[in-house]
Amino acid sequence: MLSGFSTDTFSHEGVSIFYRMRGGGPPLLLIHGHPQTHVIWHKVADQLSEHFTVVLADLRGCGDSSRPVSDEHHTPYSKRVMAKDLIKLMASLDFQEFQVLAHDRGARVAHRLAADHPDAVKRMMLLDIAPTLSMYEGTNETFARAYWHWFFLIRPKPLPELLIKADPDAYLIGIMAVRSEGMKHFSDEALAEYRRCIRIKGTAESICEDYRASATIDLAHDRTDRDAGKKLTMPVEILWGEFGAVGQCFDVLAEWQKVASDVQGEALPAGHYIPEEVPGALVERALRFFK
């Protein structure tokens, strides 16, 4: 997987971010979601690197990036701080402006990245999310049953951490299998990598702190933007899974139109894991949007 991509680590403020890079065109940052790593892009990265300089980063707390200790306000795992990791990474590569393709938790980081650094993000494609604030404020029984982990992971420590560490494989498969068509779309190599990374010391704590931040400090940041009437101004494309909970529970485009002024998008014939379920369709739309 991802042969031909260089590997390196960028460090700032005591945190190391692992990344891979390949290509020679305009910069395109790819950001993964939960419970995965940058490897989620392995079915699309080669084709995208023929047109762009593709940067695949592991978010803090994931993959081979650092897992910093959190605080009582979950600040180290706020999407604002996680976005700062990536803006600094791209600047270190001499990319002051770039485009973003992001999935799941990574798309939440991308949302904050675009909100806090609008001059850096030229275009942004987000996969299978509605805005975090919309999803929490619009929670109903159907959504809560499908996204049970949102409410499990934000429970006070150490209970969620202990349960994840007791059987990391059971947690990983329990999240992924029910949001796709079982496990058939995930290659053995990719799954082995996800299994390796969820066992790295500190991962369970980082997972929980990421979600606790989303339910607290991240919502405060989002509400501040809403109260100020602040909207994203760059072109945004939203793609979601036709068979996933996000499209079934929310009017995805309508929710994004509340926070962005230039939005388009559609459902794809997939569940949640679009890059691994329908990579061809994703590449087609990414090339159309980013080029």
Side-chain angles (χ1 to χ4, degrees), residues 134-278:
S134 298
M135 292 177 76
Y136 268 114
E137 292 187 343
T139 292
N140 57 24
E141 181 181 352
T142 300
F143 174 70
R145 287 181 180 275
Y147 275 54
W148 59 270
H149 60 291
W150 275 38
F151 308 98
F152 162 65
L153 295 170
I154 66 175
R155 297 298 302 159
K157 62 181 181 182
L159 181 60
E161 290 91 336
L162 289 173
L163 295 178
I164 293 171
K165 288 188 284 189
D167 195 337
D169 276 0
Y171 175 77
L172 188 77
I173 303 305
I175 293 290
M176 293 171 61
V178 298
R179 304 172 78 190
S180 181
E181 296 177 285
M183 298 299 292
K184 70 179 185 180
H185 295 290
F186 307 107
S187 72
D188 291 342
E189 287 179 293
L191 188 55
E193 184 68 1
Y194 303 149
R195 283 174 163 153
R196 177 185 73 83
C197 291
I198 202 170
R199 286 178 165 79
I200 295 174
K201 184 178 179 181
T203 301
E205 289 80 3
S206 296
I207 288 170
C208 295
E209 284 300 292
D210 174 4
Y211 279 80
R212 289 172 184 138
S214 284
T216 54
I217 189 171
D218 292 342
L219 295 183
H221 294 156
D222 291 347
R223 289 188 175 109
T224 297
D225 286 352
R226 182 177 64 183
D227 293 346
K230 182 178 179 180
K231 282 191 170 188
L232 305 179
T233 57
M234 70 288 295
V236 178
E237 179 153 331
I238 311 296
L239 301 175
W240 62 95
E242 178 183 355
F243 312 117
V246 172
Q248 294 171 7
C249 294
F250 301 95
D251 185 337
V252 181
L253 285 182
E255 294 300 334
W256 278 104
Q257 286 164 356
K258 295 177 183 177
V259 300
S261 58
D262 184 358
V263 185
Q264 61 182 350
E266 63 180 326
L268 297 182
H272 179 62
Y273 298 99
I274 290 171
E276 290 176 289
E277 294 182 47
V278 287

